[in-house]
Amino acid sequence: MNNKLTSVAIVEDNPDLRDELQFQLNSDSLNVVAMGDGKALNTHLIHHPCDIVILDIGLPGEDGLSIADRLRQSHPHIGIIILTANSELD
């Protein structure tokens, strides 16, 4: 039986939302780390592989869609979830 916790990285630049997501997912017995941008994710992944990355689309610097494209090439087995906090409908 595999007792390894699912490892999740959250990349969200809004600190309140990032903290809430991390708290909720940790409450579900996931191993969660959170960071504010793609550079921090790159550094994290060098030493800590993860199973799932949750990405905000509107990140400073490199946006979430670009990060997802890059991750798909370099880490094809990572699950990717994209979030957006758009408050209006077109």
Side-chain angles (χ1 to χ4, degrees):
M1 179 176 195
N2 186 358
N3 290 330
K4 178 185 172 266
L5 292 178
T6 299
S7 175
V8 178
I10 299 169
V11 186
E12 169 60 60
D13 61 324
N14 179 310
D16 294 332
L17 181 55
R18 182 175 61 232
D19 291 346
E20 184 63 26
L21 286 168
Q22 184 174 20
F23 174 79
Q24 293 298 328
L25 293 174
N26 275 326
S27 297
D28 287 334
S29 298
L30 299 171
N31 180 23
V32 182
V33 295
M35 56 221 63
D37 60 36
K39 286 183 181 183
L41 176 65
N42 294 342
T43 301
H44 177 76
L45 290 176
I46 290 169
H47 303 289
H48 308 281
C50 65
D51 302 305
I52 299 168
V53 175
I54 300 174
L55 293 168
D56 179 22
I57 289 178
L59 293 167
E62 185 179 15
D63 68 55
L65 295 175
S66 296
I67 295 169
D69 286 341
R70 187 170 43 76
L71 285 175
R72 192 52 59 221
Q73 297 297 315
S74 61
H75 299 84
H77 299 294
I78 288 180
I80 299 172
I81 298 171
I82 303 281
L83 296 179
T84 184
N86 288 340
S87 61
E88 296 181 34
L89 295 175
D90 290 333

